Amino acid sequence: MDEPAPSRAHGYRPRHTLPFRVEALRQLRRRRTLVMLGLLAALPWILVVAFKVGGSPSRDNVPTLVDVATRSGLNLTAFALFVSTGFLLVVAVALFCGDTVASEASWSSLRYLLAAPVPRARLLRVKLAVSLAYSAFALVLLPAMALLAGTIAFGWGPLEIPIGGTLGAGDAMERMLIVVVYGIVSQLVVAAVAFWLSTVTDAPLGAVGGAVGLVVVSNIVDAVTALGSWRDVLPTHWQFAWVDALQADLEWEGMVKGSAISVAYACVFIALAFRHFERKDIVS
């Protein structure tokens, strides 16, 4: 005769285990979180000091965002985003999403979390939500601090377009909001790859480095123009499509394609993360 299944402990609710607030506070106390957020907050001020010491940049034959960086706070914000998109913001997102599960495994604390008991799927959902929240905050913190630093140093004014023309401050702020939202969406592929690797390896640096390495390799392959339209499906091909939002005539095509590619990759790697973690041996 079959034995009856053990009943749950009185008051146990799987959905109430590991609340978002608890995990967010745990991550906030981590040194890597504070260091990365501090670096992103400090970068605009470092750029201000560099421009003050070096003087206003001179225009090149091909005008770029650096040529107008000191014209207003909005221009410094655009320049700060331009120099950070390809690497610094990638590292920040990879760090927040790649360190979250792997660090628990490396400290052997993952088994205790699951024995709490926290269902595996819920643990991943909460950790993913927290890491994405910190990633989004990082992508908002940098332009917000750049706008503050630039306005204090260079004043409030319209956004000057390098190739000529200006956007009024009101219109420019709306365009900056589009830029930030697109930046968050475009970094989802980095977040998903880092999160997946975090469930595969017990080495946090391996997960972070793997996601950053993907971006580096993608950028190298993207430079091979002989690939033609095949480059459109690379994870980083559209990472600078937000520049189209800072033109006199707003162009959506690049950002729409980039968003679709990023979300598609993110869905695949997040699904792989959940699939692998359900079968992961967490006691060895």
Side-chain angles (χ1 to χ4, degrees):
M1 184 175 180
D2 295 336
E3 295 182 0
S7 59
R8 291 180 178 177
H10 178 68
Y12 173 69
R13 297 291 186 273
R15 294 183 178 181
H16 294 171
T17 57
L18 191 62
F20 179 93
R21 178 180 59 84
V22 172
E23 178 64 17
L25 288 176
R26 290 179 69 240
Q27 297 299 327
L28 182 60
R29 296 189 184 102
R30 299 281 299 281
R31 182 178 300 177
R32 53 87 166 162
T33 303
L34 298 175
V35 170
M36 180 53 67
L37 293 179
L39 178 60
L40 292 172
L43 177 62
W45 300 98
I46 295 173
L47 292 176
V48 167
V49 171
F51 281 123
K52 290 292 185 180
V53 172
S56 300
S58 57
R59 287 183 176 269
D60 298 325
N61 292 331
V62 180
T64 61
L65 288 172
V66 69
D67 298 324
V68 294
T70 59
R71 303 296 176 88
S72 69
L74 287 166
N75 282 97
L76 182 72
T77 303
F79 175 69
L81 284 170
F82 184 77
V83 298
S84 304
T85 296
F87 187 74
L88 181 59
L89 292 178
V90 170
V91 172
V93 173
L95 183 64
F96 290 136
C97 296
D99 187 64
T100 180
V101 178
S103 60
E104 299 280 6
S106 66
W107 297 336
S108 298
S109 58
L110 190 58
R111 67 188 72 176
Y112 299 111
L113 278 174
L114 294 176
V118 181
R120 293 193 180 209
R122 175 164 178 80
L123 183 142
L124 274 196
R125 286 197 300 269
V126 172
K127 284 189 170 293
L128 177 61
V130 170
S131 60
L132 289 178
Y134 276 114
S135 299
F137 179 73
L139 291 167
V140 172
L141 176 63
L142 177 64
M145 190 60 69
L147 184 61
L148 174 63
T151 300
I152 292 175
F154 308 120
W156 178 257
L159 175 68
E160 295 195 21
I161 302 172
I163 60 176
T166 61
L167 288 174
D171 290 339
M173 287 296 293
E174 293 179 0
R175 301 289 185 90
M176 282 295 177
L177 180 59
I178 295 173
V179 169
V180 172
V181 172
Y182 176 74
I184 294 173
V185 175
S186 66
Q187 292 292 344
L188 283 177
V189 58
V190 178
V193 171
F195 189 72
W196 169 62
L197 290 175
S198 186
T199 65
V200 173
T201 179
D202 294 346
L205 288 180
V208 176
V212 175
L214 171 70
V215 172
V216 172
V217 172
S218 179
N219 283 329
I220 292 173
V221 176
D222 190 40
V224 182
T225 56
L227 290 174
S229 60
W230 285 103
R231 296 186 301 159
D232 293 355
V233 299
L234 291 173
T236 60
H237 181 72
W238 304 99
Q239 64 180 342
F240 287 100
W242 58 265
V243 175
D244 293 341
L246 303 183
Q247 306 302 320
D249 296 322
L250 177 60
E251 295 287 342
W252 289 100
E253 183 179 1
M255 289 185 286
V256 170
K257 290 182 179 179
S259 297
I261 292 293
S262 182
V263 171
Y265 277 116
C267 289
V268 171
F269 283 105
I270 290 174
L272 288 174
F274 276 84
R275 182 177 184 277
H276 178 81
F277 194 70
E278 285 295 330
R279 299 165 173 78
K280 183 180 177 67
D281 180 11
I282 53 90
V283 297
S284 62

